[in-house]
Amino acid sequence: MPYKFKRISKNKVNKILKCFASDISATQAAEIVGVNRNTINDWYNSFREKIAEYQEHENGSFHGEVELDESYFGGP
């Protein structure tokens, strides 16, 4: 885990994870948790990378065409 992630309490990390899972924006999560928005962005990106690594490991990489619908791009 990078050094910058060690400066935040486990309780706050859990709150950030709950916000991420609830599709709460980084700006709103920063207000809820009480940390800087850039910190939330770092954690959200870390979660996304770990999810992508897991998916790649479990399912392999995509091959061929993939069609996306706008509903995959997040909430309002």
Side-chain angles (χ1 to χ4, degrees):
M1 182 178 302
Y3 175 73
K4 64 182 171 182
F5 289 145
K6 293 182 182 182
R7 293 183 281 175
I8 189 168
S9 73
K10 195 172 195 176
N11 184 41
K12 286 187 179 185
V13 173
N14 287 334
K15 287 181 181 180
I16 294 169
L17 184 56
K18 286 179 184 179
C19 289
F20 177 80
S22 299
D23 200 27
I24 294 175
S25 73
T27 303
Q28 292 171 322
E31 292 177 14
I32 292 168
V33 178
V35 298
N36 188 288
R37 182 186 48 81
N38 292 330
T39 301
I40 300 292
N41 285 336
D42 288 342
W43 278 100
Y44 275 19
N45 286 332
S46 177
F47 297 151
R48 289 181 189 109
E49 288 172 5
K50 290 298 181 186
I51 291 168
E53 287 173 15
Y54 175 81
Q55 286 300 108
E56 174 107 11
H57 176 72
E58 290 294 312
N59 301 316
S61 59
F62 284 115
H63 298 286
E65 292 185 32
V66 177
E67 184 176 333
L68 298 177
D69 185 285
E70 63 273 359
S71 64
Y72 290 97
F73 288 58

